[in-house]
Amino acid sequence: MRLILLGPPGAGKGTQAQRLVQNHGIVQLSTGDMLRAAVAAQTPTGLIAKDIMASGGLVPDEVVVSIIADRIEQGDARNGFILDGFPRTVPQAEALDALLKKKKLKLDAVIELRVNESALLARVEKRVAEMLERGESVRADDTPEVLSKRLSNYRAQTEPLVHHYSDKRKLITIDGMMPIEGVTAEIERVLAAVTKADETTQAAKHKVATKRAAGPSKRAASPSKARKAAKGAKKAAKGTAKKAKSKRVVKKAAKKATKKVAKKAVKKGTKKVSKSSSVTRGASRKKAVKAAGNRTGRAVKAAAGRGRKAAKKVAKRPSKAAKRLTKRR
Ligand code: ADP
């Protein structure tokens, strides 16, 4: 889980961050703590940050961004982290967006702890008193004067992040005026809802991806569509059968007509043969018969042609048989 805690100084970010560490096994990345460590160790970064921090100002963006970029890389942050005190400006937020995008890491939520400003001074004073009681050294910036500067910095530079993250639909605002336990319970309740919503989205995405991988789906036809399709098919089949039957009838009629005409022609040809045999005196009967046969062949051919014509005519107007068949159906 990757979270950001947002809120003015004294809002309770540090306290809630520690509870989140315990409950979720993630690390707390506090730029304030890191910078204080750098100041104590007198590193180059510490030397830059020391006076700025003591006066309640903000350390340059590029310094804190590079600290966070390195820290996120470390093994203990792989499981998730809570950013406490970072980002503090819009450019820092944009740098973080780019960083996470580059590393293909998702930000789960930004938790804003909202508190009455009037309560903040009292809270910081209480914290100072407790630290002194424990014999701890007090932060140089935990004085009423510096606190008011930190607060005005928060309003001017950090509060715009509320819009940045609400636009990204990541913002969760919690009432930071509740007792510590109540704030923790509310954070946990909201985080559980965020996790559940994420799981649902992931499951839906997985379903879509699986469907896509399986190829284009054949949509099941609705019962009414199926009925319509069946009706159409039946009609088409009937039409084809009708056509086939009427074709058969036409063929039969054509055959009949051809036969009739041919028979007539043969009869005529034979008559001619007998006539010629009597007329062509001196010619052999064989030759006469052949000639007559040729004439008969031509006559038969012509008759066949006439027969086909007649058949075509018959085909054009449905025969009685065809009419009968159509009527019966
Ligand atoms: P606070 O309790 O005011 O939130 P922090 O411990 O987070 O204080 O930070 C202490 C100081 O460290 C800040 O006042 C600021 O000078 C410096 N600092 C911490 N984080 C950042 C940051 N992200 N950008 C710039 N300065 C920072």
Side-chain angles (χ1 to χ4, degrees), residues 24 115 161:
H24 298 275
V115 284
L161 296 188

Side-chain angles (χ1 to χ4, degrees), residues 9-10 13 31-32 35-36 52-53 57-59 64 85-86 88 92 127 139 141 150:
K13 300 188 297 287
T31 40
L35 287 169
R36 275 187 287 277
I52 302 171
M53 289 173 78
L58 290 183
V59 176
V64 279
F86 179 92
R88 237 179 172 98
Q92 286 182 22
R127 181 166 77 194
R139 274 168 60 171
D141 58 353
R150 280 158 61 197

Side-chain angles (χ1 to χ4, degrees), residues 121-270:
L121 181 62
R123 279 192 182 186
V124 173
E125 279 176 345
K126 192 179 166 211
R127 181 166 77 194
V128 169
E130 281 168 0
M131 284 174 92
L132 285 173
E133 236 173 66
R134 287 198 297 267
E136 290 167 10
S137 53
V138 177
R139 274 168 60 171
D141 58 353
D142 264 352
T143 62
E145 303 78 47
V146 178
L147 181 70
S148 77
K149 191 172 175 200
R150 280 158 61 197
L151 258 178
S152 73
N153 268 342
Y154 180 82
R155 263 182 252 120
Q157 312 246 54
T158 314
E159 229 165 36
L161 296 188
V162 167
H163 305 292
H164 180 86
Y165 289 115
S166 85
D167 284 351
K168 287 182 173 291
R169 300 182 173 276
K170 294 284 179 197
L171 191 80
I172 294 164
T173 301
I174 306 269
D175 177 10
M177 295 307 288
M178 292 187 284
I180 291 172
E181 293 298 335
V183 175
T184 307
E186 188 58 8
I187 290 175
E188 291 300 342
R189 189 186 68 77
V190 174
L191 285 183
V194 167
T195 310
K196 203 173 171 193
D198 263 9
E199 281 167 3
T200 312
T201 312
Q202 287 305 319
K205 271 186 188 169
H206 180 73
K207 212 174 164 184
V208 170
T210 318
K211 251 189 179 175
R212 271 202 196 134
S217 67
K218 280 178 195 156
R219 237 191 283 156
S222 66
S224 70
K225 264 189 185 166
R227 263 199 302 277
K228 255 188 192 169
K231 232 179 173 178
K234 216 172 166 183
K235 219 176 169 182
K238 245 183 175 177
T240 315
K242 247 186 202 176
K243 262 188 197 163
K245 268 189 182 169
S246 60
K247 245 186 185 174
R248 274 204 301 277
V249 172
V250 167
K251 238 182 180 174
K252 224 176 169 180
K255 226 178 179 177
K256 220 174 164 182
T258 315
K259 253 185 184 171
K260 217 174 166 184
V261 176
K263 229 178 179 178
K264 231 179 171 178
V266 170
K267 232 179 179 177
K268 224 176 164 181
T270 320

